[in-house]
Amino acid sequence: MQIAIHNLTKCFGSLRANDGLSLSFAGGQIHGVLGENGAGKSTMMKLISGYLRPDGGEIRLDDQVVHLRSPGDALRAGVGMVHQEPLDVPAFSVLENLLCAAPRQALPSRAAARTKLLDLARQLHFSLEPDAPVNQLTVGQRQQLELVRLLLCGARTLILDEPTTGITAAQARALFAALRQLANSGSTVLFVSHKLNEVAELCDTVSVLRSGQAVGRQLNMPQPQEQLLQLMFGAAWNAEVRPPQGREQANGHAVGTQPVPTWQLEAVRAREGNLTLANVNLELPAGRVIGLAGLDGSGQQILLRLLAGRMRPEAGRIRVHGQDLSGASASAYRQAGIEYLPADRMLDGVIGALSLTEHFALLQGKGQLVDWRAAEREAREAIAAYGIKATPVSRINSLSGGNQQRAMLALVPQACRGIACEQPTRGLDVASARAIWQRLLARRDAGCTIVFASPDLDELMNYSDQIMVFFAGACSPLMARNELSSTRLAELIGGVGFTPVMSDQ
């Protein structure tokens, strides 16, 4: 299927997310779409897949103008989209999700659905069991289910929006192999990403968006990485910001001094699901960035939630600046100056239907009239200070991922003493990730302790002052970043030479 858009325009208030876009994508190829967060990539894909309606311009499928009023219209026309967070019903099984989402004519019976599911999964080398509950699948398997559903419903064009976010390297390889197989069979694949190495590995062509417009059209791959970065970010592109060296003298603490730790954990034990984090003795110093490394489900998420009061330990004590908060609520931790930035910002971090002004109004406290002028003033100041592409009244869920992340960080009080971050740059492009880290490092230099978990070894090595490794529910002692190499860190994550910190009790 050939896709062409001409003069496509979409506005959200005064923001022109797509500004006269004209692009075409040939059938039987994998097309990369690059751009920084807020460039208009996701908006364009939602227009092509029927999730949004354009304010101007036209969409052509196989040279026929189409008017897509819903995702159902798009799927009937042969276009399906896989979102960053797969659309499924966690309480249902794999087969039940397939049945409830597909038209009756595509899957006329439960037996037919089971047969088609197993056949297509086998062809694509996917690991999907029809009776497995979806809430027990990995993000990668849920993504595989969504791909199978779209294909069984007749999709000939597949749109994937940041599909490798939150999946393992092995699952990414399986996904890439399946996409190549589909393209070879004639399908059109639109691959939206900010990861240049993935686009270089997978795509036949690449188009680049910036500020809602196309600044690079159907460039044949490979292309020099520096050229693509210049197209993505324009004159704003500079070398990546790295943390300053010689951190031993930072924050006014000379070598050998012992400031009061932000967190102290004594023989802490906590459990989530089948994983137990046991006998943790740990001190996290003030004014440091602590990176938590490990495979998903190794225990680092448990520690972050303990540090923010989102979980209570089964045993042991947690002190924040000397205050015992072992059994306290999350609000008590916030009163002590601890903030939490979750990986799923729209679920746990912000309220998507509210504006930044309304968020600041919520932070004014209980039992008083809302000062809307002050809330709007704070929103305008945050937009300017954090470079958020929005207005004070823009709904958070209308912003790009990078702008949502900046907005969430802008809501964190400047006086906070510790921030627990779960994948602080998840799904962000290079420039947006750099901007987030500039803000986090500024807070560190003001004395705040930043504890963050990330699956990205480069991010851990670039920004951490100290690193802890988690393996099967055990954690290592704190290690100085400059004493580790990426290779050694990868070995420790895999359990090679891993030595857990031991309890004194």
Side-chain angles (χ1 to χ4, degrees), residues 137 148 227 314 318 392 404 469:
L137 302 185
V148 167
Q227 178 181 337
E314 295 179 348
I318 301 176
Q404 290 173 2
V469 177

Side-chain angles (χ1 to χ4, degrees), residues 138-208:
T138 65
V139 173
Q141 289 173 315
R142 292 170 59 202
Q143 189 180 79
Q144 292 174 0
L145 171 60
E146 184 71 356
L147 270 173
V148 167
R149 180 185 73 82
L150 294 173
L151 291 168
L152 290 179
C153 290
R156 292 175 291 139
T157 291
L158 292 167
I159 300 172
L160 295 98
D161 188 7
E162 303 287 357
T164 60
T165 298
I167 69 175
T168 66
Q171 289 170 337
R173 287 193 295 271
L175 172 66
F176 287 8
L179 294 179
R180 292 189 188 98
Q181 182 178 338
L182 291 168
N184 289 337
S185 66
S187 294
T188 305
V189 178
L190 305 186
F191 185 85
V192 181
S193 181
H194 64 269
K195 300 177 180 178
L196 272 64
N197 59 328
E198 293 180 350
V199 172
E201 177 184 347
L202 183 66
C203 297
D204 300 301
T205 73
V206 65
S207 297
V208 184

